[in-house]
Amino acid sequence: GTDGGGIFKSTDGGGIWLDNLSALAIRQSTINGNTAAGTGGGIWSEGALDIAYSTISANRGTTAGGIRALAANIQATIVANQLIGPDCGGPLTSTGHNLESSTTCGFTGVGDAQNANPSLGSLAVGTEGDATIVDIEQGAFEFHDTQGERLAADRRFRLKGMVVGGE
């Protein structure tokens, strides 16, 4: 989407725009290939945002390509390789086992990795905005479930979830 084309039309939040009266829990989702004329190419949030077991990559936004939030809790999520703008902006709280390709998300919790290559392989963005992970390096990064059990990377990405994106 362009300028909020994923879920809400706005110059901020190319994939998802969340107002200050709303709450959103994103689980097992891929947010990829979105563009915002302003900030938050993937997600712009003024509300209560909670993200777990998701991937946010290849988005475009001036101040933050991936996530721009006033407050957010992030767990077992990849935020990496934005095309324009840094991975994150705003106060984000890591609850562990996150990976970022920079240091802008501030992921320093248990099991977090900064300046890391997520080895996503290629994401294919279809005409309807669907994204499919078509290649991933097995074991390139350890993922853990809510009980701390290690998941194989290929299993993690087979889980079904919401997909937002496309140009």
Side-chain angles (χ1 to χ4, degrees):
T2 302
D3 302 337
I7 291 179
F8 187 89
K9 181 84 174 139
S10 174
T11 57
D12 296 325
I16 297 172
W17 185 92
L18 185 66
D19 71 21
N20 63 354
L21 301 176
S22 301
L24 179 64
I26 298 171
R27 299 284 183 272
Q28 301 172 353
S29 300
T30 300
I31 300 169
N32 172 269
N34 298 286
T35 301
T39 189
I43 301 169
W44 163 248
S45 174
E46 298 174 356
L49 179 62
D50 189 61
I51 304 171
Y53 303 98
S54 296
T55 300
I56 301 162
S57 66
N59 297 291
R60 297 169 185 87
T62 55
T63 310
I67 305 169
R68 175 67 175 111
L70 299 183
N73 294 313
I74 316 289
Q75 177 187 18
T77 291
I78 296 171
V79 184
N81 304 335
Q82 308 314 317
L83 299 178
I84 297 175
D87 287 331
C88 298
L92 307 179
T93 301
S94 170
T95 55
H97 304 288
N98 297 297
L99 180 146
E100 64 178 301
S101 60
S102 64
T103 59
T104 60
C105 300
F107 293 157
T108 58
V110 174
D112 284 349
Q114 292 184 309
N115 290 316
N117 179 354
S119 300
L120 289 175
S122 57
L123 286 173
V125 179
T127 58
E128 296 301 315
D130 56 328
T132 304
I133 295 174
V134 294
D135 181 32
I136 185 164
E137 288 182 33
Q138 175 68 27
F141 182 74
E142 289 190 10
F143 299 97
H144 299 265
D145 64 17
T146 55
Q147 284 73 44
E149 296 295 318
R150 186 177 179 279
L151 299 175
D154 63 343
R155 177 175 161 223
R156 178 187 183 273
F157 286 107
R158 285 188 189 134
L159 299 172
K160 297 189 184 289
M162 175 181 70
V163 177
V164 177
E167 293 183 79

